[in-house]
Amino acid sequence: MEQRIGSSSKPLETAAVDPAAIPGLTSPVPAEPEDRVPEPSKESAPEEATSAAEAEPKTEAESESEADSDAEVPDGPVFEASDRRAKIIADHRGVQLFLDDQECEFRWDEIGAVETETSRFGKRFTVTVHTPDRRWYPVEIEAKAKSQFQEWETALDKVLDTYFEDAEALEESAP
């Protein structure tokens, strides 16, 4: 009789081990010839880059999008809180979360719930955005004083009451 030592199952190729296991997650690396001369970096000539950017006129699409974004801003409440690493903005468009160089934006129809939590002993205010597909996105902001927690809670509640309820009412009225 044969006995094997160890597991009889083969290891799985998963995204935790190899991100390339998910098709479309990573883009293919472009093939570059080895004898290619590297282009001069833009950091070496910052004056030229800024003057070229200022000299270029805006296209019609850019100017229209700026005009539309200015025209769409209603006079509703806005919640904004930030510290040295994180930032939260909740306004008429939805909720935006920033952490270092990462950013995610949720429209009101993409949000299932918004949860806030304050730390018991520290000065951390946590806002967690829950989506209908059972995912959640938390961001912690460090307050300068614990008294800011109540101000932030009140301001965020005002925004949620205004825009989150409107989004739910629109969904219910649609057939």
Side-chain angles (χ1 to χ4, degrees):
M1 177 173 206
E2 268 184 47
Q3 286 187 332
R4 293 186 182 174
I5 299 174
S7 175
S8 63
S9 64
K10 295 180 182 179
L12 297 174
E13 292 293 324
T14 63
V17 177
D18 181 18
I22 300 175
L25 184 62
T26 58
S27 62
V29 178
E32 295 183 13
E34 293 179 14
D35 61 336
R36 184 178 153 223
V37 178
E39 296 178 12
S41 65
K42 292 183 180 179
E43 294 176 9
S44 62
E47 298 89 24
E48 295 173 13
T50 56
S51 63
E54 292 170 358
E56 293 180 18
K58 293 182 181 178
T59 63
E60 285 184 38
E62 289 176 351
S63 60
E64 286 178 13
S65 66
E66 287 179 7
D68 290 343
S69 64
D70 292 340
E72 291 178 6
V73 178
D75 290 337
V78 175
F79 170 74
E80 187 170 339
S82 64
D83 66 1
R84 67 185 192 289
R85 291 188 61 202
K87 183 176 182 180
I88 300 169
I89 300 174
D91 57 8
H92 67 282
R93 292 177 298 197
V95 178
Q96 298 172 355
L97 306 176
F98 302 89
L99 181 63
D100 294 332
D101 63 340
Q102 302 297 314
E103 172 185 349
C104 58
E105 184 173 342
F106 303 96
R107 295 185 320 265
W108 289 113
D109 60 343
E110 297 174 327
I111 298 174
V114 177
E115 177 185 15
T116 60
E117 183 181 353
T118 57
S119 62
R120 185 172 178 181
F121 298 109
K123 296 184 211 174
R124 295 192 181 257
F125 182 72
T126 304
V127 175
T128 305
V129 175
H130 295 270
T131 59
D133 59 350
R134 296 186 182 188
R135 294 184 186 261
W136 62 92
Y137 302 89
V139 170
E140 289 186 342
I141 295 185
E142 192 168 331
K144 294 178 183 170
K146 280 195 144 193
S147 61
Q148 270 188 320
F149 290 161
Q150 188 60 36
E151 295 170 20
W152 285 348
E153 285 276 350
T154 306
L156 184 59
D157 282 343
K158 187 181 287 187
V159 172
L160 292 175
D161 289 344
T162 303
Y163 299 116
F164 194 55
E165 297 296 325
D166 290 344
E168 287 179 355
L170 290 174
E171 287 177 7
E172 291 174 3
S173 65

